[in-house]
Amino acid sequence: MSDSASAELLGQIRLHGRIPRHVAIIMDGNGRWARERVMPRTYGHRAGMQSVRDVVEGAIEVGLETLSLFAFSKENWQRPKLEVSALMSLLEEYIQREADALDDNGVRVRVLGEIERLTPPAAAAVSRVTAQTAHNTRLDLNLFISYGARAELVRAARLIAEDVAAGRLDPGAVDEAEFAGRLYTAGMPDPDLLIRTSGELRISNFMLWQLAYTELYVSPVLWPDFRRAQFYEAILAFQNRDRRFGKVSV
Ligand code: IPE
Ligand code: IPE
Ligand code: MG
């Protein structure tokens, strides 16, 4: 879609007024995109980086507070060694190439997941961009890397158990807020909208707690073809949803 088409969609989003605070995306379909071109899967991952750039810029234009991107799951460690190492190098390259632009645009980058499992150069790049952008306030960009929601929930339970065992927390005081405060997303709003690309109708162990009342939007478009216009279309679809949260609509 042309730039003028996405400008038109942005105008419609602004007219509607209700802007989601937090959008989360399961960026899926890189491998199939590459296969369609008879290319190796890593070619698709590289092409997907351009979509990340475009969607981050779109999120700033729309005025989101938080954009969460599922980039690499805990389960993805089980992929072939070559693919995993290519993904680690791409992460490093993405940070190296984008850190200054993200910083200039007021983006605060955070990486959520078991970052101690990353390769040392990827872990170093993550620490660098996190520190460099820590003061920014325009957009929070969460990169979920080496992340699994069940592991995140178990970790929160373990942290609570440790606090109880140490006498810092009364078991009777354990409530939803105490629990949510021990997730990687502590202090962030829950996603209003979850987008999954490539047409798959599953959550794949992403943000199981945080998605309780999130609106779901599945696009058939493969991630490397998912650009600003498709992102805006998802937000427009969200604006037409009736969110009831178990209540009766007014
Ligand atoms: C998403 O694309 C990127 C990662 C999961 C790292 P895939 O690599 O899953 O692409 P498909 O689903 O095989 O097409
Ligand atoms: C989910 O995609 C994880 C990411 C997008 C990082 P997968 O391709 O790994 O998910 P499944 O295997 O299709 O459920
Ligand atoms: Mg996939």
Side-chain angles (χ1 to χ4, degrees):
M1 218 177 287
S2 68
D3 278 359
S4 67
S6 62
E8 162 73 24
L9 291 165
L10 181 61
Q12 285 181 41
I13 290 171
R14 289 191 173 140
L15 269 180
H16 198 285
R18 191 175 54 132
I19 305 291
R21 293 178 69 190
H22 183 178
V23 176
I25 309 182
I26 302 176
M27 309 184 291
D28 198 14
N30 295 349
R32 278 162 281 171
W33 187 91
R35 195 172 57 210
E36 282 175 359
R37 286 157 183 79
V38 202
M39 293 295 278
R41 296 177 56 82
T42 49
Y43 182 72
H45 296 315
R46 178 170 287 282
M49 276 198 340
Q50 183 60 43
S51 297
V52 172
R53 187 174 307 135
D54 216 45
V55 166
V56 169
E57 285 171 14
I60 294 171
E61 288 287 325
V62 168
L64 297 190
E65 281 173 41
T66 307
L67 176 69
S68 288
L69 300 178
F70 198 9
F72 187 83
S73 74
K74 206 179 161 191
E75 291 75 24
N76 290 151
W77 287 113
Q78 299 164 55
R79 291 188 178 195
K81 263 201 172 70
L82 269 178
E83 181 171 353
V84 170
S85 66
L87 283 164
M88 287 297 122
S89 308
L90 275 177
L91 169 65
E92 217 188 305
E93 186 183 322
Y94 170 76
I95 292 175
Q96 236 144 39
R97 284 215 327 230
E98 299 293 320
D100 288 345
L102 289 167
D103 194 20
D104 291 344
N105 282 322
V107 179
R108 173 167 58 177
V109 181
R110 287 191 277 209
V111 176
L112 290 69
E114 297 177 349
I115 46 175
E116 60 281 0
R117 290 184 70 177
L118 302 185
T119 58
V126 162
S127 311
R128 231 176 17 250
V129 73
T130 305
Q132 183 183 346
T133 63
H135 61 283
N136 291 329
T137 55
R138 196 159 173 210
L139 173 75
D140 277 334
L141 174 62
N142 296 330
L143 302 176
F144 285 73
I145 296 167
S146 190
Y147 170 87
R150 285 186 171 178
E152 178 188 35
L153 293 169
V154 169
R155 174 178 171 273
R158 191 185 313 117
L159 293 173
I160 287 193
E162 284 168 6
D163 284 346
V164 168
R168 291 187 292 262
L169 182 66
D170 175 6
V174 177
D175 58 9
E176 292 185 12
E178 288 290 343
F179 198 86
R182 287 164 177 83
L183 299 172
Y184 292 126
T185 50
M188 302 175 193
D190 287 338
D192 299 294
L193 170 65
L194 172 73
I195 300 170
R196 182 165 188 153
T197 60
S198 88
E200 302 295 357
L201 299 174
R202 55 179 170 263
I203 299 290
S204 300
N205 201 15
F206 188 46
M207 290 181 116
L208 292 178
W209 171 281
Q210 298 87 340
L211 294 175
Y213 264 105
T214 301
E215 294 295 323
L216 309 179
Y217 179 93
V218 174
S219 166
V221 175
L222 304 175
W223 177 250
D225 289 330
F226 194 89
R227 298 295 167 94
R228 199 178 309 217
Q230 289 75 23
F231 182 58
Y232 290 166
E233 279 168 356
I235 293 175
L236 273 171
F238 165 83
Q239 290 182 318
N240 290 315
R241 300 281 178 90
D242 179 17
R243 301 185 79 189
R244 289 188 288 277
F245 298 98
K247 295 175 261 187
V248 174
S249 53
V250 281

